[in-house]
C-alpha cells in the first residue's frame, strides 16, 4: 500500500512538473508571437522621437514625455504615475540660425547648446576671433580685452573630417600614419594653448563672456561623418553654439588667414524658472508576492542635440513594449512588475538614485532589475554585477529564452559591480540584484551617443524587438521563480592600478535641485 501511495505521489509531482513546463513554454511562445505579430515599437518610437522629441531634464518636452508615457500605460491597462523626485532649471530650446555674412553669405550648420543664454530674435552679428598661442596666463589676460564685441572660436579645427576607418580603407599606410601623427601633434599643441591661458575648456568660456564676448562657437566632433557631441552651455550671458566640423573649419581658416569673417547668430531660448522633474513609474501588481518586485528599467531623459533615439529612446520603448506584452500575456504575475522610466540620468543617475533613496521598502524586496541603455543593438552581454550566485538564477531564466534571442549573449559571472554608467548602478550600490542588458555597438559612440544624429532613422527595430522579447521572458521567469534571488556579494578582485581590493560601491544621493550652476 505504501509503495502504491509513493508511486501515486511521484506521478502527481511529475505531472505537475510537466504541467508547469507546458505552461511556461506556452507563455513564452505567446510572448514571442505577440512581439512579432503585434509589435508597437514603431508607433511608440514615432510618438516619442518624432512628435515629442528630445527629453532634456527641465524642459517642457520632458514633462510632455512623462505625461505621454502615463497615458500610454493606462491605455494598455497598466497603472502608472509621474513621481516627483526633485526640481531643475527650466529651459526651452528655440530657433538656432547661424549665417556667415562676410566675406560671403551662406547658412551654417549649428545649434545652441542646452541651457544656452538667448540672443533674442534679432540675434548678434560680429567678427570672429581665435584664442591665440600665448606664453602664459599673464599674456592671456593682456589679450583678453580683444574679445569684446567679438564671437570667439574655442575649439581646435580638425585636420580631417574623415573618420579613421575611412582613412584605413582608402589611404596608403604611410599617409594614414602621417595624418595620425600630425593630428596628435596638433591636439597636444592645442591642449598646451588652452592650458597656458590658466583655464580649461570649460572654465575659459566664463572668462571670455566676462571680457565682453557676444557669443562663443565650438565644434566637438564625434569622429564620424556629420556627427558632433552636443552637451550644455556654462555661460550666463553669451550664447554657446556648436558648429559642424565642416563649417567650423572653414570659419576658423577664414579667421586665421585674416579674411575678417562675420557671422550672425540667432539663438532663441526661454528660461522657465525652477520646475519639478519626475520619474514615470508603472505597475503590474503581483498576485502571490505583491511586495516583491521585478523592475524593467530605462532612463527616459536625453540630451537634446537630436531626439535621443538610441540614448535612450530604444531602452525606453523596449521596456514599454515588454510591459505591454506582459500585461496581455501574463496579466497576473506572481511578483509585482514595476517599470521605471528615470529622469536626469544624463546628469548623474539622479532619477534612479532618488527612487532608491525614497523607496527602501521596494529596494529591499527586489527580485531583479533589468536595465537597457546603450543603443539600438541586440543584447550581447550580461554581467552578474558581483553577486556571487547570479549564475544560478540568471542561468535558469536565460535557459528558458529561445535560442534565437540569446545565442549571441555572453555572460560574465560573478562579474564586478558597476559604479555608474546607467541606472542599474543605483540599485547595485544599494545591494539589489540589477543587471545591464548590454547591446551591440552599431557605431553608438561616434554616431549616436549624445550627438546631433541620434534620430529615429538610426533605430534597428529587429534588434529592439529581440530585446523586448528577451526582457519580457526574463521578467516572466524572475517573477515566477520559486526562490528569492541571493544578494550575497562575491569577493572583489584586486585593483591592478592601486594594488588594493575593490570595494562595493556606496549609494549616492541625487542632485534634487539642479541646473543652477
Amino acid at each position: 500500500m505504501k509503495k502504491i501511495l509513493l508511486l501515486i505521489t511521484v506521478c502527481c509531482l511529475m505531472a505537475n512538473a510537466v504541467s508547469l513546463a507546458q505552461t511556461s513554454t506556452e507563455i513564452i511562445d505567446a510572448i514571442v508571437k505577440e512581439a512579432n505579430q503585434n509589435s508597437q515599437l514603431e508607433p511608440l518610437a514615432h510618438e516619442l522621437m518624432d512628435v515629442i522629441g528630445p527629453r532634456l531634464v527641465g524642459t517642457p518636452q520632458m514633462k510632455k514625455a512623462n505625461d505621454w508615457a502615463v497615458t500610454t500605460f493606462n491605455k494598455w491597462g497598466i497603472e502608472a504615475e509621474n513621481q516627483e523626485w526633485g526640481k531643475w532649471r527650466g529651459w526651452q530650446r528655440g530657433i538656432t540660425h547661424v549665417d556667415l555674412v562676410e566675406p560671403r553669405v551662406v547658412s551654417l550648420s549649428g545649434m545652441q547648446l542646452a541651457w544656452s543664454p538667448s540672443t533674442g530674435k534679432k540675434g548678434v552679428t560680429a567678427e570672429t576671433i581665435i584664442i591665440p598661442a600665448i606664453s602664459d596666463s599673464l599674456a592671456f589676460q593682456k589679450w583678453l580685452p580683444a574679445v569684446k564685441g567679438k564671437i570667439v572660436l574655442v575649439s581646435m579645427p580638425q585636420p580631417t573630417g574623415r573618420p579613421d576607418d575611412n582613412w584605413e580603407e582608402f589611404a596608403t599606410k604611410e599617409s594614414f600614419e602621417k595624418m595620425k601623427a600630425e593630428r596628435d601633434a596638433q591636439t597636444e599643441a592645442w591642449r598646451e594653448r588652452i592650458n597656458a591661458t590658466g583655464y580649461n575648456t570649460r572654465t575659459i568660456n566664463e572668462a571670455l563672456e566676462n571680457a565682453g564676448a557676444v557669443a562663443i562657437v565650438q565644434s566637438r566632433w564625434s569622429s564620424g561623418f556629420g556627427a558632433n557631441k552636443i552637451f550644455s552651455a556654462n555661460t550666463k550671458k553669451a550664447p554657446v553654439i556648436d558648429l559642424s566640423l565642416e563649417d567650423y573649419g572653414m570659419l576658423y581658416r577664414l579667421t586665421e588667414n585674416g579674411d575678417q569673417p562675420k557671422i550672425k547668430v540667432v539663438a532663441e531660448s526661454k528660461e522657465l524658472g525652477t520646475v519639478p522633474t519626475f520619474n514615470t513609474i508603472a505597475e503590474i501588481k503581483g498576485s502571490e508576492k505583491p511586495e516583491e518586485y521585478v523592475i524593467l528599467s530605462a532612463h527616459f531623459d536625453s540630451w537634446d542635440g537630436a531626439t535621443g533615439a538610441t540614448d535612450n529612446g530604444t531602452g525606453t520603448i523596449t521596456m514599454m513594449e515588454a510591459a505591454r506584452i506582459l500585461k496581455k500575456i501574463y496579466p497576473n504575475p506572481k511578483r509585482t512588475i514595476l517599470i521605471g522610466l528615470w529622469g536626469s540620468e544624463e546628469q548623474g543617475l539622479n532619477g534612479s538614485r532618488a527612487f532608491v533613496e525614497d523607496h527602501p521598502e521596494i529596494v529591499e524586496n527586489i527580485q531583479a532589475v533589468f536595465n537597457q541603455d546603450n543603443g539600438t543593438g541586440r543584447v550581447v552581454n550580461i554581467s552578474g554585477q558581483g553577486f556571487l550566485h547570479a549564475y544560478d538564477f540568471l542561468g535558469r531564466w536565460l535557459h528558458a529564452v529561445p535560442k534565437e534571442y540569446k545565442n549571441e549573449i555572453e555572460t560574465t559571472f560573478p562579474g564586478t559591480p558597476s559604479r555608474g554608467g546607467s541606472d542599474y548602478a543605483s540599485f547595485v550600490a544599494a545591494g539589489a540584484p540589477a543587471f545591464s542588458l548590454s547591446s551591440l555597438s552599431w557605431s553608438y559612440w561616434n554616431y549616436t551617443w549624445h550627438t546631433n544624429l541620434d534620430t529615429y532613422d538610426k533605430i534597428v527595430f529587429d534588434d529592439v524587438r529581440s530585446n523586448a522579447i528577451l526582457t519580457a521572458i526574463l521578467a516572466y521567469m524572475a517573477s515566477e521563480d520559486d526562490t528569492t534571488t541571493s544578494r550575497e556579494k562575491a569577493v572583489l578582485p584586486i585593483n591592478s592600478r592601486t594594488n588594493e581590493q575593490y570595494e562595493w560601491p556606496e549609494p549616492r544621493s541625487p542632485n534634487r535641485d539642479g541646473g543652477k550652476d
Side-chain angles (χ1 to χ4, degrees):
M1 188 67 175
K2 289 182 179 179
K3 289 182 179 179
I4 293 172
L5 289 173
L6 179 61
L7 181 61
I8 292 172
T9 301
V10 170
C11 289
C12 288
L13 289 172
M14 290 177 64
N16 285 337
V18 171
S19 176
L20 286 172
Q22 287 175 336
T23 301
S24 176
T25 301
E26 289 170 358
I27 289 177
I28 290 170
D29 288 346
I31 287 172
V32 173
K33 182 178 179 181
E34 175 65 20
N36 285 318
Q37 295 187 5
N38 190 35
S39 174
Q40 298 301 301
L41 290 171
E42 285 86 349
L44 288 172
H46 169 67
E47 287 293 328
L48 187 58
M49 267 61 78
D50 293 341
V51 178
I52 295 172
R55 300 164 301 284
L56 182 71
V57 60
T59 61
Q61 287 78 16
M62 183 73 252
K63 183 57 168 63
K64 186 175 181 181
N66 290 126
D67 293 340
W68 166 81
V70 169
T71 299
T72 303
F73 281 123
N74 289 341
K75 182 177 67 177
W76 297 334
I78 300 172
E79 294 184 6
E81 65 176 1
N82 292 323
Q83 295 183 359
E84 182 177 342
W85 58 264
K87 300 184 185 301
W88 213 266
R89 173 187 173 185
W91 183 82
Q92 185 172 13
R93 175 179 290 281
I95 291 171
T96 302
H97 204 86
V98 186
D99 299 298
L100 179 68
V101 295
E102 291 184 18
R104 58 189 178 90
V105 176
V106 63
S107 292
L108 307 181
S109 178
M111 67 172 60
Q112 62 186 309
L113 300 188
W115 300 299
S116 172
S118 176
T119 62
K121 292 185 177 182
K122 292 184 178 180
V124 294
T125 302
E127 288 187 13
T128 56
I129 190 171
I130 294 169
I131 297 171
I134 39 85
S135 56
D136 55 30
S137 59
L138 290 176
F140 178 71
Q141 291 299 322
K142 290 181 180 179
W143 169 83
L144 199 52
V147 307
K148 187 174 182 178
K150 303 287 180 62
I151 295 172
V152 188
L153 309 183
V154 296
S155 295
M156 182 191 87
Q158 292 293 329
T160 177
R162 295 184 179 275
D164 281 4
D165 58 2
N166 193 245
W167 276 83
E168 198 164 19
E169 181 177 0
F170 295 109
T172 64
K173 182 179 179 181
E174 294 76 14
S175 179
F176 185 28
E177 294 302 321
K178 177 186 175 186
M179 183 279 293
K180 289 192 292 183
E182 290 176 348
R183 184 176 61 192
D184 288 346
Q186 183 178 340
T187 300
E188 180 58 30
W190 187 265
R191 184 181 297 113
E192 291 176 358
R193 179 184 297 206
I194 297 299
N195 288 342
T197 68
Y199 298 92
N200 59 39
T201 55
R202 288 291 288 174
T203 59
I204 198 170
N205 286 358
E206 184 179 359
L208 295 171
E209 74 166 346
N210 287 341
V214 296
I216 295 165
V217 175
Q218 67 169 48
S219 182
R220 188 170 179 179
W221 190 44
S222 189
S223 302
F225 282 119
N228 272 29
K229 302 292 187 198
I230 309 294
F231 290 104
S232 60
N234 59 344
T235 51
K236 293 180 174 61
K237 296 174 290 184
V240 184
I241 305 297
D242 188 275
L243 279 187
S244 68
L245 174 148
E246 295 79 8
D247 285 343
Y248 185 86
M250 178 266 293
L251 189 60
Y252 192 99
R253 291 188 296 274
L254 288 170
T255 308
E256 188 175 43
N257 285 286
D259 296 306
Q260 297 181 307
K262 283 186 178 180
I263 62 173
K264 179 179 179 180
V265 175
V266 176
E268 296 180 41
S269 58
K270 292 180 182 178
E271 293 290 336
L272 304 176
T274 299
V275 301
T277 186
F278 304 89
N279 294 320
T280 297
I281 307 297
E283 177 184 87
I284 306 174
K285 195 71 173 178
S287 58
E288 295 182 34
K289 297 185 176 183
E291 305 308 317
E292 294 185 17
Y293 300 89
V294 176
I295 299 181
L296 309 185
S297 167
H299 75 85
F300 207 10
D301 66 308
S302 73
W303 284 104
D304 72 337
T307 58
T310 70
D311 186 22
N312 186 32
T314 45
T316 295
I317 64 174
T318 292
M319 297 306 158
M320 293 183 73
E321 174 74 346
R324 182 192 69 81
I325 293 168
L326 288 167
K327 179 63 178 176
K328 184 172 182 178
I329 305 302
Y330 179 57
N332 299 299
K334 178 181 288 188
R335 293 175 171 87
T336 295
I337 296 174
L338 291 182
I339 304 90
L341 304 181
W342 316 114
S344 190
E345 185 267 359
E346 297 293 2
Q347 290 72 41
L349 314 186
N350 289 312
S352 57
R353 282 176 173 162
F355 184 86
V356 167
E357 192 170 84
D358 294 343
H359 297 282
E361 77 288 354
I362 292 177
V363 175
E364 289 170 6
N365 292 289
I366 287 175
Q367 174 81 339
V369 176
F370 300 109
N371 185 84
Q372 211 281 321
D373 184 0
N374 62 324
T376 189
R378 58 197 176 275
V379 172
V380 292
N381 185 274
I382 301 175
S383 165
Q385 292 299 321
F387 293 99
L388 183 61
H389 301 292
Y391 172 81
D392 295 340
F393 51 86
L394 277 175
R396 286 197 302 275
W397 305 340
L398 280 168
H399 180 73
V401 178
K403 182 172 64 175
E404 59 266 37
Y405 303 109
K406 68 178 179 184
N407 59 0
E408 296 178 79
I409 296 176
E410 295 184 0
T411 54
T412 305
F413 295 111
T416 55
S418 175
R419 284 163 168 74
S422 193
D423 294 292
Y424 65 98
S426 301
F427 294 91
V428 169
F435 307 101
S436 172
L437 306 180
S438 299
S439 68
L440 280 172
S441 167
W442 282 95
S443 299
Y444 175 68
W445 185 87
N446 53 333
Y447 277 105
T448 62
W449 181 74
H450 299 168
T451 76
N452 57 315
L453 301 183
D454 192 11
T455 46
Y456 178 102
D457 52 284
K458 308 306 185 306
I459 299 173
V460 181
F461 283 103
D462 284 345
D463 281 12
V464 179
R465 191 168 294 109
S466 175
N467 294 346
I469 291 169
L470 172 69
T471 301
I473 294 173
L474 290 176
Y476 162 66
M477 293 299 297
S479 173
E480 285 294 301
D481 202 322
D482 289 333
T483 61
T484 300
T485 51
S486 169
R487 298 190 174 203
E488 186 176 352
K489 298 171 183 176
V491 175
L492 299 182
I494 301 297
N495 185 330
S496 59
R497 184 174 58 83
T498 64
N499 289 322
E500 295 180 357
Q501 187 175 18
Y502 280 107
E503 295 182 357
W504 200 271
E506 293 290 329
R508 294 176 58 183
S509 291
N511 181 354
R512 294 184 187 262
D513 189 14
K516 306 296 178 65
D517 298 332

